[in-house]
């Protein structure tokens, strides 16, 4: 077996703890023994299948996948990828393509000797990278779309099911033999320039595009500051990854506020933000710790990280920049007040 496969929950995407146990790591949990794979799928035939991505040392073929999803924000991931190729001059080789319930996946072979590859969301708008530490749902897996009514529209999947399928060059579903799949994969070696661009830009491009589309604002190119004032007034729109923004807000203000003040701020912004039906806001408690998706866990994780990194050169420079800017603004306001007083006294003397 050339690629490690991951047993996933029947009709769903998460890894199945019945087979994998708890606390497993994706990079080392994949099955490469054909006999073991046969035993698993003979015992649990409805098990979905995932392919482990990234630079896996025990795999004969390491893959990286570009996951192109169409969301409600209207972004065109295929068009974004075409424009990226035109802008950079990097040509992507054709290779295995998979139809997913919300778009397509493009498979690439990682060259031998390649270092770590970043994995995450929004490398380009609505284009995610599946590499080190992640996996993709692979054909012929089936998803029960009825479990996620807001994510998979009922009009597109009236029966409540969606299958992952391979597509040929004409976009027609087909079922390749293993030898055909590996031949296609070996012809789709990921260009070194593509991997370099992914590691250097990560999810910056996608976030900037989401900001501009959703708010009309863009972050400062170097500081990466979030538009806190805009969020206080309007909330965080759906076109932006809201949990990421709440963390960024908390981190941008924590050095000049108490934890309670930071919580009150992100709670106010969360209350004004449209919530996803399947992922509502939860306040949590002050003693909830640093894990989980609650507003207090965001605050606690932020201050915990600050305590661990206090004295760090970057942290010191950021604090120095903040205090210098505050001192500059205070001096300017003081100078303006003196000018106003001088003008007021001059006018009184003239009278």
């Amino acid at each position: 077996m050339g690629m490690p496969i991951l047993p996933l929950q029947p009709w769903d995407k998460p890894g199945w703890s019945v087979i994998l146990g708890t606390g497993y790591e994706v990079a080392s949990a994949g099955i490469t023994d054909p006999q073991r794979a046969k035993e698993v799928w003979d015992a649990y035939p409805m098990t979905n299948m995932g392919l482990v991505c990234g630079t896996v040392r025990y795999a004969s073929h390491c893959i990286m996948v570009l996951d192109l999803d169409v969301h409600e924000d209207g972004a065109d991931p295929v068009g974004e990828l075409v424009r990226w190729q035109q802008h950079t001059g990097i040509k992507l080789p054709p290779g295995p393509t998979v139809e997913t319930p919300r778009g397509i996946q493009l498979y690439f072979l990682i060259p031998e000797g390649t270092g770590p590859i970043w994995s995450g969301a929004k490398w380009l708008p609505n284009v995610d990278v599946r590499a080190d530490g992640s996996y993709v749902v692979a054909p012929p897996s089936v998803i029960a779309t009825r479990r996620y009514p807001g994510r998979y529209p009922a009009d597109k999947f009236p029966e409540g099911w969606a299958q992952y399928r391979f597509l040929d060059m004409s976009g027609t579903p087909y079922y390749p033999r293993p030898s055909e799949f590996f031949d296609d994969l070996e012809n789709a070696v990921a260009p070194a320039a593509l991997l370099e661009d992914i590691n250097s830009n990560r999810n910056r491009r996608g976030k900037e595009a989401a900001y501009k589309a959703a708010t009309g604002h863009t972050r400062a190119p170097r500081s990466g500051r979030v538009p806190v004032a805009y969020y206080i007034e309007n909330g965080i729109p759906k076109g932006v990854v809201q949990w990421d923004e709440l963390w960024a807000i908390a981190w941008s203000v924590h050095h000049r506020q108490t934890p309670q003040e930071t919580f009150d701020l992100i709670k106010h912004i969360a209350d004004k933000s449209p919530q996803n039906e399947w992922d509502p806001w939860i306040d949590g408690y002050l003693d909830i710790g640093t894990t989980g998706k609650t507003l207090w866990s965001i605050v606690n994780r932020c201050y915990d990280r600050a305590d661990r990194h206090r004295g760090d050169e970057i942290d010191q420079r950021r604090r120095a920049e903040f205090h210098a800017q505050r001192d500059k603004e205070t001096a300017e306001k003081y100078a303006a007040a003196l000018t106003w007083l001088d003008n007021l006294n001059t006018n009184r003397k003239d009278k």
Side-chain angles (χ1 to χ4, degrees):
M1 186 177 294
M3 299 170 61
I5 59 177
L6 198 69
L8 307 180
Q9 294 180 17
W11 323 121
D12 214 336
K13 297 180 179 182
W16 200 10
S17 59
V18 170
I19 301 171
L20 298 172
T22 58
Y24 66 89
E25 293 185 1
V26 171
S28 58
I31 299 174
T32 56
D33 179 13
Q35 182 59 36
R36 171 59 179 158
K38 184 177 184 305
E39 292 173 357
V40 168
W41 268 268
D42 283 348
Y44 306 98
M46 295 296 101
T47 304
N48 275 346
M49 182 173 68
L51 293 179
V52 178
C53 300
T55 50
V56 184
R57 65 179 183 276
Y58 59 91
S60 62
H61 293 73
C62 297
I63 62 168
M64 181 201 71
V65 177
L66 296 183
D67 190 1
L68 286 66
D69 279 352
V70 177
H71 298 289
E72 295 179 357
D73 57 12
D76 174 19
V78 176
E80 293 288 347
L81 193 59
V82 170
R83 285 188 287 273
W84 173 84
Q85 292 183 81
Q86 294 172 344
H87 176 72
T88 61
I90 302 171
K91 183 174 177 58
L92 300 182
T97 302
V98 171
E99 179 186 38
T100 72
R102 300 209 298 179
I104 60 173
Q105 294 172 343
L106 306 178
Y107 284 48
F108 298 93
L109 181 66
I110 300 174
E112 291 186 13
T114 301
I117 304 172
W118 173 81
S119 179
K122 296 187 181 298
W123 166 61
L124 295 175
N126 286 9
V127 179
D128 302 338
V129 177
R130 306 302 178 201
D132 287 18
S134 64
Y135 63 91
V136 291
V137 183
S141 299
V142 176
I143 297 296
T145 58
R146 66 185 69 182
R147 295 180 180 177
Y148 308 96
R151 191 177 303 175
Y152 304 104
D155 57 346
K156 186 176 179 180
F157 304 101
E159 302 298 327
W161 307 95
Q163 185 177 31
Y164 287 72
R165 304 182 294 180
F166 284 105
L167 301 177
D168 62 18
M169 296 298 292
S170 66
T172 303
Y174 83 118
Y175 300 93
R177 294 189 296 272
S179 59
E180 293 176 326
F181 171 80
F182 284 113
D183 286 344
D184 290 344
L185 183 63
E186 289 170 359
N187 290 325
V189 179
L194 166 65
L195 303 180
E196 181 181 353
D197 187 272
I198 288 173
N199 281 333
S200 60
N201 286 285
R202 300 192 175 184
N203 61 352
R204 177 180 61 81
R205 289 199 193 98
K207 281 193 173 184
E208 288 178 354
Y211 270 112
K212 190 168 184 179
T215 70
H217 297 270
T218 56
R219 290 188 181 186
R222 293 187 180 181
S223 66
R225 293 175 181 170
V226 291
V228 178
Y230 177 89
Y231 287 165
I232 290 175
E233 183 177 353
N234 302 284
I236 304 172
K238 281 191 174 182
V240 179
V241 183
Q242 297 176 342
W243 281 108
D244 289 351
E245 296 313 296
L246 290 174
W247 159 260
I249 292 167
W251 185 253
S252 68
V253 303
H254 81 277
H255 56 286
R256 59 179 184 270
Q257 293 190 165
T258 65
Q260 183 64 54
E261 291 172 336
T262 301
F263 171 81
D264 291 341
L265 174 63
I266 65 173
K267 175 69 164 58
H268 168 80
I269 293 174
D271 288 341
K272 293 184 71 69
S273 303
Q275 300 180 22
N276 297 320
E277 294 178 2
W278 60 87
D279 196 15
W281 303 123
I282 302 174
D283 292 353
Y285 302 95
L286 175 61
D287 58 353
I288 201 167
T290 60
T291 60
K293 273 194 171 182
T294 71
L295 300 183
W296 264 116
S297 72
I298 291 176
V299 174
N300 292 337
R301 187 164 70 250
C302 177
Y303 283 85
D304 178 69
R305 177 180 173 184
D307 289 340
R308 286 186 286 110
H309 292 277
R310 201 170 306 280
D312 179 85
E313 182 181 351
I314 296 177
D315 185 66
Q316 289 180 353
R317 184 166 67 248
R318 178 178 55 78
R319 290 173 179 273
E321 289 174 354
F322 166 73
H323 290 295
Q325 179 66 24
R326 185 180 63 181
D327 293 343
K328 178 182 177 183
E329 293 174 355
T330 301
E332 290 174 350
K333 291 178 182 178
Y334 183 69
L338 289 179
T339 301
W340 180 80
L341 286 173
D342 289 341
N343 292 336
L344 182 62
N345 291 331
T346 301
N347 292 335
R348 284 177 177 173
K349 290 178 180 178
D350 292 340
K351 292 180 179 180

